[in-house]
């Protein structure tokens, strides 16, 4: 697939299945992410691969963090079971993290944008290799307990979870009118 075609036709894929992306396919995604634009070459990125049993631990973390947001610190069995299942929606999950560096000329926002750009590059690289992927955050993504549970340090911020796998069902690329978004100033 040529680059323009990959860029124009990527869509998010909700319904993903096994087998997991190969090591080579994941490596290609990371290499794409590492080509994100990056002011002063700070490389403000870290990627956590969550596969196999680690998905069970992520589900438990999600449930534990969600429980801290309830008035009694508990979840119903049904709510807990729902959260435990979430990471099993894909064989691989990549947590994209902004690893914020102190720099007099590069504020945090620029480094967060760079990490977001890395995530998008990885999404396109997944698509270009015939994989399906969806970028998810969810209400717990900004919770400090989620960051702690993932082992992130104070200067690291979670940008999103990329769910990656084989395409079970896809959708059509929606038509958008370019002129609606472009003006000559
Ligand atoms: C930062 C960010 C967080 C997102 N979080 C979620 C999410 O938690 N759940 C979800 O269904 N979609 C989420 N989305 C949207 C999907 O990734 C996707 O972009 C959207 O469904 C549109 O589909 P498309 O990429 O095929 O246009 C998020 C997107 C971004 C950029």
């Amino acid at each position: 697939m040529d680059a323009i075609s990959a860029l124009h036709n990527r869509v998010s894929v909700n319904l993903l299945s096994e087998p997991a992306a190969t090591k080579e396919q994941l490596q290609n995604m990371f290499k794409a992410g590492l080509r994100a634009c990056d002011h002063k070459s700070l490389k403000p990125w870290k990627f956590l691969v969550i596969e196999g049993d680690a998905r069970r631990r992520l589900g438990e973390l999600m449930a534990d963090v969600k429980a801290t947001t309830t008035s009694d610190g508990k979840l119903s069995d049904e709510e807990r079971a729902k959260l435990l299942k979430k990471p099993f929606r894909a064989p691989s999950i990549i947590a994209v993290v902004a690893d914020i560096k102190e720099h007099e000329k590069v504020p945090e926002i620029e480094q967060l944008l760079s990490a977001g750009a890395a995530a998008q590059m990885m999404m396109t690289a997944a698509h270009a290799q015939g994989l399906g992927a969806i970028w998810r955050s969810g209400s717990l993504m900004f919770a400090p307990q989620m960051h702690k549970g993932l082992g992130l340090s104070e200067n690291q911020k979670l940008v999103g979870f990329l769910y990656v796998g084989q395409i079970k069902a896809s959708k059509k690329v929606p038509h958008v009118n370019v002129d609606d978004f472009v003006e000559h100033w």
Side-chain angles (χ1 to χ4, degrees), residues 10-12 134-138 159 171:
R10 182 210 62 80
V11 284
S12 298
I134 183 164
W135 179 343
R136 295 184 185 277
S137 49
V159 165
K171 63 183 184 192

Side-chain angles (χ1 to χ4, degrees), residues 45-56:
W45 319 297
K46 187 180 168 93
F47 310 124
L48 301 176
V49 180
I50 300 164
E51 291 180 325
D53 190 55
R55 291 175 301 168
R56 180 189 54 75

Side-chain angles (χ1 to χ4, degrees), residues 134-165:
I134 183 164
W135 179 343
R136 295 184 185 277
S137 49
S139 59
L140 307 170
M141 197 179 85
F142 302 105
Q145 301 97 314
M146 179 60 76
H147 286 67
K148 197 164 166 235
L150 287 169
L152 305 187
S153 43
E154 284 290 307
N155 66 312
Q156 295 177 332
K157 293 205 166 141
L158 190 55
V159 165
F161 293 107
L162 309 185
Y163 284 62
V164 184

Side-chain angles (χ1 to χ4, degrees), residues 19 35 39 41 53 58 67 74 110 117-118 128 141 153 160 165-166 173-174:
R35 285 309 310 138
H39 195 180
S41 299
D53 190 55
L58 178 62
K74 287 183 191 157
E110 290 195 359
M141 197 179 85
S153 43
Q166 309 303 320
V173 180

Side-chain angles (χ1 to χ4, degrees), residues 8 23 26 35 46 70 77 96 102 107 143 149 152 171 184:
H8 287 184
K23 208 173 162 191
L26 287 181
R35 285 309 310 138
K46 187 180 168 93
T70 64
D77 289 349
V96 179
E102 276 291 325
L152 305 187
K171 63 183 184 192
H184 287 264

